[in-house]
Structure formats: C-alpha cells, structure tokens
Amino acid sequence: MRHAARLSVAPMMDWTDRHCRYLHRLLSTRALLYTEMVTAPALVRGGALHLLDFSTEEHPVALQLGGSDPEELAQAARLGAEAGYDEINLNCGCPSDRVQSGTFGAVLMKEPVRVAECVAAMREAVDVEVTVKCRIGVDEQNPEQILPEFLDRIGAAGCGRVTIHARKAWLQGLSPKENRDIPPLDYDLVHRMKREFPHLHISINGGIASLDEAKRHLGAGLDGVMIGRAAYHQPADILCAADPEIFGIGAATDPVNAVHAMLPYIERHLSGGGRLHQITRHMLGLFAGRPGARGWRRALSEGAVRDGAGPELVLAALERVAPMERTAEVV
C-alpha cells in the first residue's frame, strides 16, 4: 500500500464513486484509489452498507470515512475492513458546512487530541492500515505551529501515513469550491514536515496537475502525491503513463483500450437496472485535449441520459475521436 500511495487519486464527493474507480483502474494498475467520503453514522446508525460496494478489480482501494466519535469510527472501520478495503482513511480536510455541522472534516484540525483518539480506536479495530487526510490548518491557525503537533499526535496514535492538502481551509467565508482554490498553497511546509517527521509516510495534495509535477515532489523527498481534479477531468493525462513513470513497471495504457474494456462493465450495470450516464459521466474527459474530444463529450452528454442508451452509444461516441486516437486494438 505504501508503494501504491506514490500516486493516488483523491477522494472527491460525487466523483470518485465505484464506476469512476473502475475506469481509473483500467488506466493504471498501481495507483491507489479512494472512495468518496462515507460518514461513519451512515454506516453504523443508518445501516447504509451499500455505500461500501466496490469491484474486486479496483484494488488497491481505500475507504475514506468521515466522523469524530472514536467508537463509531472504529465500528465503521471494521465494516470497511470486512468489506475488503485495503486501507481506512479518516477525513480531516473537507471544509463543507455539512461536515462542520457533524463535527468532522477540516474542523478536526482544531482537535488533534480527538483525532488521535479516533485513530487509536480505528487502529485497534482493524488490521488494515489507518491513515489520515488533513489540511495544513484552518481559519486563523498558524500552520507552522499546529501542523507539527497534529502530525505528532496522530503518529503516536498509530497513523504511519498521512496525506496533507497544502492549503488552509477557511470554515467561514469561503465555499468548499473556493477552499480548493483561494487559500494559497504552501508546498514548502509539507516538505519541511517530511524532514521533521521522517518516520511518517507523507503524501502531498493540492493543485498538482501533471505527472511531471508529481515526479518533482517525489524527487524532492516526499513519499507520495495525491491528485484530484486533474485526475478526474483529464484521467488519461495523469493515469495512462503512471505505471511506467511513477511505479517503474509496465507500459503506458491507451484510453481507447479502456473504452472497450468498459463495455462489459457497462452491460452488467445496465442489466442490473442502472443507467448509462451513471458511468459515462466519468468518461467525458478521457480524450481531453485530443482531436475529437469535443465530439466524444457531446455524444455521451446528450445521448447517455436517454432511455435505452447502451454500449452502442459509447462506440458511436468513440467514432467521433480522430482516427489517430483510435488505432489501438483491444487486447
């Protein structure tokens, strides 16, 4: 798992569902994939175990949990481990109003003692690794002061791997979207934390949009890089060359092959009562920046929501992509 964490795709609400992760796994066999955040109360009190559904092909895959009650998080972590997830991650970075009202997410940066208690309880409950995703701080906190304390406490509680989003979160005054862009990035601080805590496996997150950027962070001493929006909107740019360039294995994959490999998955989803757009919405950026990308997006966007739409629509959309992009044969 630590090797897989050299490159990971960030947990993103409404985006990194199981259909998205299945596509991403076709593009990279090694990158670590994360679920959307699943709240511990939904699993433990609500019994929403369907939120844990995933395909075995997705491994290595991590479950991200939201919560702040140690006992409840321990129960949720146990459910995740029993479902087969390779890692359980605690969200200490999401700044939305909904998670603030539940006293979890980025607001937990203000309560490192509680976070440590949560980590310890989860570690006690499961055999798989328990990790944390956090910000460098929130609101008026001084990251130079609070981040070392935060890392020290969660490390002592048994967390050996952490992903740091290199921005503060402003819990008042900025929307979740603005919190992804407006607070300035402080990559240097994250690198300093790695030097200060060499025993921790530290991944960096925030604003990284290419494999070249990822390689620079890895080359400068960080253990991993987590990429979010770029991996979603331009998945081929980030993931197709990840195996040879980041993990040193295999060859680059081809998005055309991935489209063909998605067809049986799509057929199974439709036969179970699903709709095509539930899958194809994650495929819109597959040819981003390439000839025919606009036609591909339009065909899927307009056609996948129609009743009866199926794999034949995906193949027709692929015909919109320039011939030079469609030369790969299905392996």
Side-chain angles (χ1 to χ4, degrees):
M1 288 297 290
R2 291 192 166 212
H3 187 61
R6 280 179 60 80
L7 182 72
S8 58
V9 178
M12 292 174 281
M13 292 298 294
D14 299 322
W15 288 2
T16 53
D17 64 15
R18 58 195 178 97
H19 306 310
C20 175
R21 298 192 304 269
Y22 192 93
L23 171 66
H24 286 178
R25 179 56 67 222
L26 292 173
L27 301 178
S28 170
T29 65
R30 289 294 190 268
L32 176 56
L33 306 179
Y34 281 82
T35 68
E36 305 170 88
M37 183 187 68
V38 177
T39 68
L43 296 176
V44 177
R45 290 183 243 162
L49 298 185
H50 66 280
L51 297 175
L52 298 177
D53 291 346
F54 72 100
S55 302
T56 56
E57 292 89 344
E58 294 173 34
H59 290 293
V61 59
L63 169 67
Q64 186 182 70
L65 292 175
S68 59
D69 179 81
E71 182 178 346
E72 195 166 55
L73 279 166
Q75 294 180 55
R78 191 177 298 111
L79 291 170
E82 291 171 353
Y85 284 95
D86 302 299
E87 170 196 328
I88 310 296
N89 179 264
L90 178 60
N91 183 323
C92 296
C94 183
S96 77
D97 293 338
R98 184 166 69 88
V99 298
Q100 287 184 57
S101 65
T103 321
F104 51 87
V107 71
L108 285 176
M109 296 299 298
K110 296 181 178 181
E111 300 189 59
V113 173
R114 180 187 289 201
V115 175
E117 292 171 351
C118 291
V119 167
M122 295 162 72
R123 287 282 297 111
E124 181 69 23
V126 300
D127 292 329
V128 298
E129 192 167 14
V130 173
T131 67
V132 170
K133 185 173 187 292
C134 67
R135 294 274 182 144
I136 60 173
V138 295
D139 297 336
E140 301 298 338
Q141 287 182 328
N142 180 351
E144 300 275 359
Q145 294 178 348
I146 68 97
L147 187 56
E149 178 193 355
F150 185 89
L151 295 178
D152 187 56
R153 288 190 179 277
I154 65 172
C159 174
R161 183 152 52 87
V162 59
T163 299
I164 304 174
H165 186 151
R167 285 187 176 95
K168 266 189 178 185
W170 288 94
L171 303 180
Q172 302 295 329
L174 292 181
S175 69
K177 181 178 184 299
E178 290 170 329
N179 263 301
R180 292 193 294 267
D181 294 301
I182 292 178
L185 288 159
D186 192 345
Y187 292 149
D188 288 343
L189 177 60
V190 180
H191 283 268
R192 290 201 299 277
M193 291 302 98
K194 177 58 188 176
R195 293 193 292 271
E196 189 169 332
F197 296 89
H199 59 287
L200 289 181
H201 183 292
I202 295 180
S203 293
I204 193 168
N205 171 233
I208 300 165
S210 71
L211 283 186
D212 285 341
E213 290 179 69
K215 288 188 288 187
R216 284 196 291 272
H217 285 294
L218 293 170
L222 288 176
D223 302 294
V225 176
M226 176 180 280
I227 301 181
R229 284 168 289 171
Y232 186 84
H233 291 301
Q234 298 97 36
D237 291 346
I238 301 300
L239 295 173
C240 281
D243 286 4
E245 293 196 23
I246 301 297
F247 299 98
I249 61 161
T253 57
D254 190 290
V256 175
N257 284 345
V259 171
H260 286 283
M262 285 295 294
L263 298 180
Y265 180 84
I266 288 171
E267 289 174 350
R268 292 194 298 271
H269 178 67
L270 296 178
S271 66
R275 301 292 299 271
L276 181 62
H277 71 89
Q278 294 170 321
I279 295 176
T280 56
R281 71 187 184 97
H282 303 301
M283 301 171 67
L284 298 179
L286 201 50
F287 298 99
R290 307 183 186 197
R294 182 177 299 178
W296 161 262
R297 290 195 305 270
R298 180 180 296 129
L300 292 184
S301 297
E302 295 176 357
V305 296
R306 296 172 184 162
D307 291 339
E312 68 284 346
L313 174 71
V314 178
L315 290 174
L318 191 59
E319 291 297 318
R320 307 286 186 94
V321 179
M324 62 180 292
E325 298 293 336
R326 294 190 283 108
T327 55
E329 297 294 330
V330 180
V331 177

